[in-house]
Amino acid sequence: MNDKSKKVPEVVIKRLPRYYRYLGELLKQDIKRISSNALSEKMNVTASQIRQDFNYFGGFGQQGYGYNVEHLYGEIGDILGLHDDDTFIIVGAGNLGRALANHDTFEKRGFRLVGIFDNDKNIIGTKINGIEISDADNIEDFLKHNRVDIAILTVPREAVMETAERLTGCGVKGLMNFSYTELDFDRDVAVENVHLSDSLMTLSYKIKSNKN
Amino acid sequence: MNDKSKKVPEVVIKRLPRYYRYLGELLKQDIKRISSNALSEKMNVTASQIRQDFNYFGGFGQQGYGYNVEHLYGEIGDILGLHDDDTFIIVGAGNLGRALANHDTFEKRGFRLVGIFDNDKNIIGTKINGIEISDADNIEDFLKHNRVDIAILTVPREAVMETAERLTGCGVKGLMNFSYTELDFDRDVAVENVHLSDSLMTLSYKIKSNKN
DNA sequence: TAGATTGTTAATCGATTAACAATC
DNA sequence: TAGATTGTTAATCGATTAACAATC
């Protein structure tokens, strides 16, 4: 919105979902207001950082009072674009793809699954979570007739690059890549690489260094 | 190893798996040596950062030559503890748990799945990927008789905290948490929180800001 | 040896924390 | 009003980049 202000650092953006999570929790507990200080203790960060982070997007609080939890929750949801009815498809209906299709948290955050694709003739036509698996050959056709904002890629590594290009060529603006390869588009395509084995390796490192 | 040297920053540790991935790729292509400069172009980071990162762990390169890919790959694997025969269990055999049990990348990186647990009587005794699902009530007993380094938690959010405490109480040193809640142990327990919906939200934000 | 490239120190940049005036 | 707490500027800290002497 305030587009002339300085660019929001990546680290701040990455923290937004975490704030959103904690605020959702407070909301559930029927807590109406919270100060940056109280929140900082819960989240194990500094109050200063919280105030700085929020102020990239404008003042959501009130001096002497703090932040209204419900309002702040809504605002951060807005900033994250959770109220935009974003749609997504899953390409690759293997174990991970199937699990994600059943992952109801995505829907709870406002993302709507509108298609699942695979190239295995044996599973095309079967349903996951009420959605029929379509032939991956028909992706372009599907994208011509349906607005799709995000594609989750759970295809084999060899197929990622080609799939990604087909999708972005048809207007998909965001990719969530689960394959071992790293995707990188510098154009107008947003990419999140989710490397599950990276997390396991990091964990392994930490365990090692914990017993130094 | 060089334990008196300064602590390695978290950002550097998080980059190690990425180096490992790119080096593995080079190895596959039968590339014997690489300079920090050539690697920097491939990875889209600065050569300076690469050299700095590696030097937290000692000099792996040679002036005038660069880095021996195979050697460096091995060293980073060592640093990450991939050659330690680390074992892991999966607690929670829902969609995600099952997908991860079948996720062969973990095994490829040197981690060995030794148990799967759930509390649903209907699936206890059935097998995933050759491993029988055990009753979650028997976790403590299992841990008494088997060394388990890491536990992957794919249990419902309400059960996470209790499960985590049972596991760490029995000596598990690392937790990979997939539930929406945030786990945090300050003791000797390493934790990686993997929030899939966070990535989707970040993606949503980026898409929004791309069309500013 | 000359050229290349590392390891490492120094300079810069950016993010976090501290401080405090503004204000509810 | 007095007290609390934000929004925001200034100070600090840490990470990234640049530079270059060491050396293969």
Side-chain angles (χ1 to χ4, degrees), chain B residues 93 98 116-128 130-136 138:
Chain B
R98 304 177 87 86
I116 305 173
F117 297 88
D118 203 289
N119 57 12
D120 180 351
K121 306 290 176 203
N122 296 314
I123 62 170
I124 291 168
T126 63
K127 286 189 173 183
I128 307 175
I131 295 176
E132 200 174 296
I133 301 177
S134 305
D135 191 330
N138 300 333

Side-chain angles (χ1 to χ4, degrees), chain A residues 161 165 168-169 185-190, chain B residues 210:
Chain A
M161 205 48 219
E165 275 169 358
T168 55
F185 285 78
D186 23 37
R187 310 174 254 152
D188 286 341
V189 179
Chain B
N210 269 354

Side-chain angles (χ1 to χ4, degrees), chain A residues 13 18 21 25 28 78-81 109 157 180 182 188 192 195 198 204-206 208 210, chain B residues 13 18 21 25 78-81 86 109 157 180 182 188 192 195 198 204-206 208 210:
Chain A
I13 296 162
R18 190 158 180 265
R21 231 175 314 117
E25 200 55 45
K28 252 194 204 162
D78 268 348
I79 294 164
L80 287 169
R109 298 296 147 246
R157 181 204 319 216
Y180 194 65
E182 195 116 348
D188 286 341
E192 281 286 309
H195 294 300
D198 280 21
S204 166
Y205 173 87
K206 287 182 185 167
K208 249 182 111 115
N210 269 353
Chain B
I13 297 162
R18 189 156 181 267
R21 230 173 319 115
E25 200 55 45
D78 268 349
I79 294 165
L80 288 169
D86 277 339
R109 299 295 149 245
R157 177 202 325 213
Y180 194 64
E182 195 116 346
D188 287 340
E192 282 285 310
H195 295 300
D198 280 21
S204 167
Y205 173 87
K206 287 182 186 166
K208 248 180 109 111
N210 269 354

Side-chain angles (χ1 to χ4, degrees), chain A residues 89 139-146 148 166-167 170 172:
Chain A
I89 59 173
I139 288 181
E140 281 86 354
D141 193 52
F142 183 87
L143 293 176
K144 227 170 273 171
H145 299 289
N146 301 273
V148 172
R166 282 175 60 201
L167 291 163
C170 293
V172 173

Side-chain angles (χ1 to χ4, degrees), chain A residues 17-182:
Chain A
R18 190 158 180 265
Y19 288 126
Y20 192 75
R21 231 175 314 117
Y22 275 88
L23 289 167
E25 200 55 45
L26 293 175
L27 210 53
K28 252 194 204 162
Q29 292 165 30
D30 225 16
I31 293 168
K32 303 293 183 203
R33 53 172 282 240
I34 193 152
S35 69
S36 57
N37 206 55
L39 188 57
S40 83
E41 275 170 29
K42 273 187 198 299
M43 296 186 63
N44 213 22
V45 295
T46 64
S48 219
Q49 180 167 82
I50 291 175
R51 294 204 298 276
Q52 287 278 24
D53 283 356
F54 291 171
N55 274 92
Y56 276 103
F57 307 98
F60 301 135
Q62 200 170 59
Q63 281 101 330
Y65 175 86
Y67 299 88
N68 177 295
V69 175
E70 191 172 2
H71 176 245
L72 186 55
Y73 182 75
E75 289 282 356
I76 295 180
D78 268 348
I79 294 164
L80 287 169
L82 306 187
H83 312 129
D84 299 354
D85 186 41
D86 277 338
T87 56
F88 72 103
I89 59 173
I90 294 177
V91 185
N95 289 300
L96 193 54
R98 304 177 86 84
L100 296 175
N102 284 300
H103 198 62
D104 59 356
T105 316
F106 292 168
E107 307 259 328
K108 268 190 204 139
R109 298 296 147 246
F111 300 94
R112 191 156 48 86
L113 178 60
V114 294
I116 305 173
F117 296 87
D118 202 289
N119 57 12
D120 180 350
K121 306 290 177 204
N122 296 313
I123 61 170
I124 290 169
T126 63
K127 285 189 173 184
I128 307 176
N129 202 9
I131 294 176
E132 200 175 296
I133 301 177
S134 306
D135 191 329
D137 287 345
N138 300 332
I139 288 181
E140 281 86 354
D141 193 52
F142 183 87
L143 293 176
K144 227 170 273 171
H145 299 289
N146 301 273
R147 179 179 55 84
V148 172
D149 300 295
I150 293 170
I152 296 183
L153 295 173
T154 46
V155 298
R157 181 204 319 216
E158 312 78 54
V160 171
M161 205 48 219
E162 192 222 321
T163 311
E165 275 169 358
R166 282 175 60 201
L167 291 163
T168 55
C170 293
V172 173
K173 292 289 177 246
L175 300 172
M176 190 170 177
N177 169 42
F178 280 86
S179 88
Y180 194 65
T181 302
E182 195 116 348

Side-chain angles (χ1 to χ4, degrees), chain B residues 15 27 50 64 99 105 199:
Chain B
R15 280 197 290 262
L27 210 52
I50 291 175
T105 316
S199 302

